[in-house]
Amino acid sequence: MKTISIVVPCYNEEENVEAMYQAITGVFHRELNKYCYELIFIDNDSSDRTRELIRGLCSKDKGVKGILNAKNFGQFNSPYYAMLQSDGDCTILMAADFQDPVEMIPRYVKEWEDGYKIVIGIKKSSKENKIMYWLRSCYYKMIKKLSDVEQIEHFTGFGLYDRTFINVLRQLDDPTPFLRGIVAELGFRRKEIPYEQPKRRAGKTSNNFYKLYDAAMLSITSYTKVGLRLATIFGSICSIASMTVGLIYLILKLIYWDRFPAGMAPLLIGMCFLGSVQIFFIGLVGEYILSINARIMKRPLVIEEERINFTCGTQEDTDEDLLLTAASMEGGNQR
């Protein structure tokens, strides 16, 4: 029987964890009973009862595994790390708040069995705040135009990924992974399935302006050059314009010395304008440097505090051990 891994990142999801477990296992019992499941909950240092509930599920069902992070490692590192720990023939990533519909799992598996290495969900509509959905749409359109790499609109990471793609992720060794961009960049054959995003089932979202800004800047600095190019071009234009205006003022002052009072207004306006432009682009360049710095340091994606129901080795280690054992047995038979 093939094994399907389900990765569910959690942060303060005490109201959703057990319901998510029941929903996923229910889908397997009803529609996917020909498959084994591996359900991985990774907790990003929750402050509520989420960890306690994950431990309870792991003790009740050995098909459930838990990873408890030592601290909050961010909304991108934690799920990405959990995907690398999966042992299934394919891995499905989905949120714990039910905004990624559980009913999509059988559709993903069917497309995967038809030959697609990646099957992802695309939000065609959403029951969330209309303004937020519009802002997200504007962001996706902007990043799609600015990026040199194809970008997928309204893709949150919710999808199915074949083991071959997971092995590619293991080889990337990226300390600041952005899964949405990686899926688009690596060019695996994929199937896109549209869906309507439902409202959050319970609890409060952990997303805020800072996290949304962080996601936007990570995608911009990882997959676009336009920021640095814009800074260079716009800076050059402003410099030429400033020198031209300064030269004109100098000529007029020399020709009409007594009749052309320059005053302080042009000087102050020019200084304020150029100063604001410089500050903006220094900040933009700083975002690129921050991204480069994170990659150079190569810090681990996640530090685990506890893992539950995992065996000592990974699936790759097990496969390697089986090959070595088979080789040794063959050698013994020959002798």
Side-chain angles (χ1 to χ4, degrees), residues 231-243:
T232 303
I233 295 171
F234 193 69
S236 301
I237 293 173
C238 288
S239 298
I240 293 171
S242 300
M243 288 188 292

Side-chain angles (χ1 to χ4, degrees), residues 62-321:
K62 295 304 178 184
V64 179
K65 300 180 179 182
I67 300 175
L68 309 183
N69 296 346
K71 62 181 288 293
N72 191 319
F73 287 92
Q75 60 177 324
F76 300 117
N77 286 22
S78 187
Y80 187 90
Y81 176 80
M83 291 175 68
L84 301 185
Q85 310 309 307
S86 63
D87 287 334
D89 296 280
C90 66
T91 300
I92 297 176
L93 175 66
M94 58 192 310
D97 57 7
F98 284 84
Q99 287 195 292
D100 297 337
V102 177
E103 297 76 20
M104 296 282 286
I105 294 176
R107 297 182 62 185
Y108 285 171
V109 174
K110 180 183 181 300
E111 297 295 343
W112 172 60
E113 291 288 13
D114 287 343
Y116 288 98
K117 297 297 184 182
I118 297 176
V119 187
I120 60 175
I122 304 296
K123 290 190 297 180
K124 290 302 181 184
S125 60
S126 177
K127 294 182 180 179
E128 67 176 342
N129 184 284
K130 299 296 182 184
I131 296 176
M132 287 300 299
Y133 186 78
W134 179 79
L135 290 174
R136 290 178 194 273
S137 300
C138 293
Y139 158 73
Y140 283 120
K141 292 184 184 300
M142 180 193 72
I143 194 68
K144 192 172 184 178
K145 290 182 179 180
L146 297 180
S147 177
D148 297 329
V149 177
E150 175 200 7
Q151 297 296 313
I152 309 170
E153 292 187 45
H154 290 290
F155 168 52
T156 62
F158 173 44
L160 179 149
Y161 308 93
D162 187 79
R163 179 188 287 178
T164 55
F165 180 76
I166 299 298
N167 288 335
V168 170
L169 296 184
R170 292 189 179 109
Q171 296 170 11
L172 289 181
D173 192 26
D174 189 348
T176 57
F178 189 63
L179 181 64
R180 307 172 200 176
I182 294 173
V183 170
E185 182 181 17
L186 294 183
F188 273 76
R189 185 176 177 228
R190 69 175 185 265
K191 175 73 174 182
E192 298 180 0
I193 300 179
Y195 71 99
E196 181 181 41
Q197 185 184 51
K199 289 183 178 181
R200 183 180 176 87
R201 176 184 174 274
K204 295 182 179 180
T205 179
S206 60
N207 280 332
N208 52 36
F209 174 77
Y210 177 78
K211 289 186 177 181
L212 294 175
Y213 173 81
D214 187 46
M217 277 300 154
L218 181 58
S219 62
I220 289 173
T221 56
S222 298
Y223 293 99
T224 71
K225 302 174 184 176
V226 68
L228 296 176
R229 297 278 168 82
L230 186 62
T232 303
I233 295 171
F234 193 69
S236 301
I237 293 173
C238 288
S239 298
I240 293 171
S242 300
M243 288 188 292
T244 303
V245 171
L247 183 60
I248 292 172
Y249 264 83
L250 177 61
I251 293 172
L252 291 175
K253 185 64 177 176
L254 292 174
I255 297 175
Y256 307 104
W257 186 267
D258 296 326
R259 291 182 293 168
F260 187 77
M264 291 295 294
L267 181 62
L268 291 175
I269 293 171
M271 288 178 61
C272 290
F273 174 72
L274 290 177
S276 61
V277 169
Q278 289 173 350
I279 291 172
F280 172 78
F281 283 111
I282 287 172
L284 184 61
V285 172
E287 292 286 351
Y288 280 93
I289 294 173
L290 186 65
S291 178
I292 295 169
N293 186 51
R295 284 172 165 78
I296 290 175
M297 288 190 294
K298 280 191 174 294
R299 287 177 175 164
L301 290 170
V302 162
I303 300 296
E304 296 181 14
E305 181 178 296
E306 180 183 357
R307 63 164 47 199
I308 311 166
N309 284 351
F310 281 85
T311 55
C312 295
T314 63
Q315 183 67 37
E316 289 181 341
D317 296 333
T318 304
D319 294 343
E320 185 178 353
D321 291 340

